[in-house]
Amino acid sequence: QCAAVDALKHFIPTYLVSAGEKIANDVISKYVTLLDDPNVAARRGGALALGILPYEFLLLKWMPVMSKLCSSCTIEDKADDPDAEARVNSVRGLILVCETLTSNVDQSSDIGESVYAYIKVEVMPALFRALDDYAVDNRGDVGSWVREAAMDALERCTFILCKRDAVAVRAAPAAEDESEPSDMDANAISTTCQLFDSAIAQGLVAGIAKQAVEKIDKIREIAVRTLQRILYNQEQFVPSIPYRKLLEEIIPNNSDLEWAVPTVSYPRLVKILQASCYSKPVLSGLVISTGGLQESLRKASTSALVGYLQDSSINIDDKGKSREYLLSHDILWVLQRYQKCDRVITPTLKTIETLLSKQVFLNKEGHGDFYSELVNLLGPELKGSKDFTKLCAGLSILGYISSQLDGTGTKAFSQLLVFLGHRYPKIRKAAADQVYLVLLQNDSLISAEDMDKAQEVLAETCWEGDVEEARHKRSELNAMAGFGVATSQKSENRQGARAPDVRNAASTDENTSYSSLVEFSGY
């Protein structure tokens, strides 16, 4: 396929460019149509073929070609398309089309201005969406191929726009020779001509920095090398990058640093959390490592994050706000932004659990709002979940918050009691363990006269046994804590209204569900 595309690159200019517009339009239409072909090989080939079309062809239908490639390189437009290679080739074809057009078109012409404007308004957002491709199949994280191609394309698009901006700024004073413009006029000219603005620069650095702290060694190294080229390019300066000085301190122009090694990269890269415009996207990538399954990566990234929180030499731009306070707000943003997305939510909850175990966010003033919002977000996330890791992390967090001597602790404790009647026996047992530990640390949740009885119920009940007995015991604990038995009673009423055969079906269903849980957990 690659050989055929390479041959086409020479064949079309030699034999077809001079054949007229009809042939050109037919060729373009053919390859654009291939992008919707049910055959994945045809889609892959069509995307690559569009990328090598000569300028004379592209000039005729450049906008439909770029529009189709933009939609083909992002996964949300093709929910039923599992083929990552087709998206990779679409990204590669798209940037080749951009380079072919911009290297030949007259920048001052109407077509030239339209092409550059289209790259800014349509192409860059499409590449940012491709940078968020986390598709997985039986080969693993195939979305990483798309993200790798997107980082390369974003870098090249950045230089295309910056080069055009530089030419436009040089041309503007020449057109104003008759009168000497003031400094204010010069700034206005620069802003008017600028295609690569601070918003794009911020999105670019945030998106690539996020990849630089995720779990795949190769992607991390590619991301940091990309940022290095953007920051230190000798031929084309990239302007408008927020916190440029900070980024240059964190990512020096040094080719000797082994960025793929977690113990080298994370202590440096976590410092990007200082920059408020990058902290949220970077944290959404960092939690994939700190809450992931790979032990060495998890230890290195968590150690770097805790070290960052404890480093008193780091200056925060929000004066008067502690690093923990800012991190807590960013964590809440991640939980809200990725609701019900277990790929991010589960490691985020694991990260919060780890930080709480290291006394971060605990026993300090000012975290009440964080606890309250965290409890509110945990409810919908844990409800109906079948992810054992996610549920256990959530229970642990509720346990930590319940131990706090404030109103939020009571709210978290009420949620924790709900899980004593969960359909999975292991979750009921885990919840019971958490409740027992909470009562040992916070004796204000249940009155003194009921405390011994509550601990006895928790210790002597077989939580991994009959679910109906567990829910009955949960009702007793709810009554002791003063929460009422509304939640438990509704469940029991539903059970009581069922016929005996339905009860048996429910029991069988629970066993089936538990079997699926065990299988999911890898036991």
Side-chain angles (χ1 to χ4, degrees):
Q1 192 172 60
C2 291
V5 170
D6 189 47
L8 198 64
K9 183 177 180 179
H10 299 283
F11 180 84
I12 290 179
T14 305
Y15 295 105
L16 300 184
V17 167
S18 59
E21 285 190 15
K22 184 180 184 307
I23 295 293
N25 285 326
D26 289 346
V27 170
I28 293 172
S29 298
K30 173 184 177 180
Y31 292 130
V32 168
T33 303
L34 283 180
L35 293 180
D36 290 322
D37 197 285
N39 183 351
V40 293
R43 294 202 298 276
R44 298 174 191 175
L48 292 176
L50 288 172
I52 56 86
L53 291 179
Y55 174 72
E56 293 83 359
F57 274 36
L58 291 174
L59 194 60
L60 300 173
K61 285 187 173 183
W62 63 270
M63 189 176 290
V65 169
M66 293 174 77
S67 175
K68 190 62 183 175
L69 286 171
C70 283
S71 64
S72 297
C73 68
T74 53
I75 193 168
E76 62 260 27
D77 294 324
K78 309 175 299 305
D80 57 341
D81 176 18
D83 191 59
E85 289 93 331
R87 298 195 297 278
V88 170
N89 289 359
S90 294
V91 171
R92 291 173 178 167
L94 180 59
I95 187 59
L96 287 172
V97 168
C98 292
E99 289 177 337
T100 301
L101 286 169
T102 55
S103 61
N104 291 278
V105 74
D106 180 3
Q107 295 183 15
S108 60
S109 67
D110 290 341
I111 293 179
E113 291 182 359
S114 297
V115 168
Y116 281 100
Y118 195 90
I119 291 174
K120 175 183 178 178
V121 175
E122 298 292 340
V123 175
M124 292 293 279
L127 294 176
F128 284 136
R129 292 194 297 273
L131 199 58
D132 202 33
D133 190 323
Y134 289 91
V136 176
D137 66 14
N138 56 5
R139 296 170 292 180
D141 184 4
V142 293
S144 64
W145 306 338
V146 185
R147 302 198 299 275
E148 181 181 342
M151 283 191 282
D152 176 64
L154 281 167
E155 178 189 355
R156 289 154 70 178
C157 257
T158 295
F159 293 136
I160 287 173
L161 295 180
C162 290
K163 184 177 180 181
R164 185 267 178 197
D165 285 344
V167 171
V169 169
R170 287 196 297 268
E176 301 283 338
D177 271 345
E178 296 180 5
S179 61
E180 295 185 6
S182 64
D183 290 342
M184 187 177 295
D185 293 334
N187 289 335
I189 290 170
S190 175
T191 304
T192 303
C193 296
Q194 197 172 30
L195 282 173
F196 189 82
D197 53 30
S198 59
I200 292 181
Q202 178 181 322
L204 175 74
V205 174
I208 297 177
K210 176 186 175 184
Q211 300 301 317
V213 294
E214 289 200 351
K215 62 183 178 180
I216 301 178
D217 294 348
K218 178 185 175 184
I219 296 296
R220 286 204 310 274
E221 183 166 23
I222 290 171
V224 177
R225 299 298 181 197
T226 302
L227 285 175
Q228 278 183 324
R229 291 191 294 272
I230 290 171
L231 290 170
Y232 301 106
N233 190 274
Q234 298 296 317
E235 297 179 7
Q236 182 59 61
F237 178 76
V238 179
S240 306
I241 296 178
Y243 295 95
R244 188 185 194 104
K245 185 177 179 182
L246 172 65
L247 291 170
E248 289 176 347
E249 291 174 0
I250 295 170
I251 307 173
N253 191 16
N254 183 352
S255 59
D256 295 332
L257 287 172
E258 297 181 3
W259 293 102
V261 179
T263 52
V264 173
S265 58
Y266 282 104
R268 285 182 170 273
L269 296 175
V270 291
K271 295 177 183 177
I272 300 178
L273 292 172
Q274 296 173 73
S276 56
C277 61
Y278 304 137
S279 61
K280 292 177 176 64
V282 169
L283 182 64
S284 69
L286 181 62
V287 294
I288 304 298
S289 300
T290 55
L293 298 175
Q294 190 177 336
E295 186 175 0
S296 60
L297 182 66
R298 185 175 67 249
K299 285 183 177 179
S301 54
T302 301
S303 174
L305 179 57
V306 173
Y308 161 77
L309 293 172
Q310 296 172 345
D311 187 355
S312 59
S313 67
I314 294 177
N315 294 317
I316 302 296
D317 62 340
D318 295 286
K319 301 300 182 183
K321 302 296 185 183
S322 70
R323 291 182 290 278
E324 287 186 16
Y325 176 83
L326 296 172
L327 181 65
S328 68
H329 274 250
D330 291 341
I331 286 174
L332 293 177
W333 178 89
V334 172
L335 291 174
Q336 291 166 346
R337 168 69 175 79
Y338 293 95
Q339 285 182 7
K340 295 295 183 180
C341 176
D342 285 355
R343 179 189 65 81
V344 179
I345 293 297
T346 300
T348 301
L349 296 183
K350 290 288 292 180
T351 299
I352 298 171
E353 179 189 9
T354 301
L355 292 174
L356 290 171
S357 72
K358 296 181 180 297
Q359 299 302 304
V360 179
F361 306 132
L362 289 179
N363 304 321
K364 295 182 179 66
E365 297 295 329
H367 289 310
D369 292 340
F370 172 60
Y371 295 151
S372 179
E373 188 61 27
L374 185 55
V375 171
N376 290 338
L377 291 169
L378 274 176
E381 283 297 340
L382 300 182
K383 184 178 181 181
S385 175
K386 296 181 180 179
D387 187 332
F388 186 81
T389 304
K390 180 180 180 180
L391 288 166
C392 285
L395 292 175
S396 181
I397 294 168
L398 289 173
Y400 278 113
I401 298 176
S402 299
S403 301
Q404 302 304 299
L405 302 175
D406 57 20
T408 311
T410 304
K411 188 176 181 181
F413 187 63
S414 68
Q415 278 202 26
L416 196 55
L417 289 178
V418 171
F419 287 92
L420 293 175
H422 197 274
R423 57 179 170 170
Y424 292 155
K426 288 288 185 183
I427 299 302
R428 296 199 293 272
K429 181 66 169 65
D433 292 342
Q434 287 294 334
V435 172
Y436 192 85
L437 292 173
V438 167
L439 294 181
L440 292 177
Q441 299 174 67
N442 187 352
D443 57 8
S444 65
L445 295 169
I446 291 180
S447 61
E449 57 268 22
D450 289 330
M451 181 63 74
D452 289 342
K453 183 180 178 183
Q455 291 179 345
E456 183 181 330
V457 169
L458 287 166
E460 295 185 0
T461 302
C462 179
W463 296 103
E464 293 177 293
D466 182 57
V467 66
E468 289 307 310
E469 181 187 356
R471 288 171 177 169
H472 177 69
K473 295 296 184 182
R474 179 185 65 180
S475 299
E476 293 182 16
L477 291 169
N478 268 323
M480 294 179 205
F483 297 137
V485 293
T487 305
S488 305
Q489 195 63 46
K490 279 194 292 186
S491 175
E492 289 168 9
N493 287 342
R494 285 198 303 268
Q495 292 289 336
R498 294 177 181 175
D501 59 331
V502 178
R503 284 181 177 274
N504 294 334
S507 176
T508 305
D509 178 63
E510 177 172 339
N511 293 331
T512 304
S513 300
Y514 185 53
S515 298
S516 67
L517 174 63
V518 171
E519 183 180 352
F520 177 84
S521 302
Y523 294 111

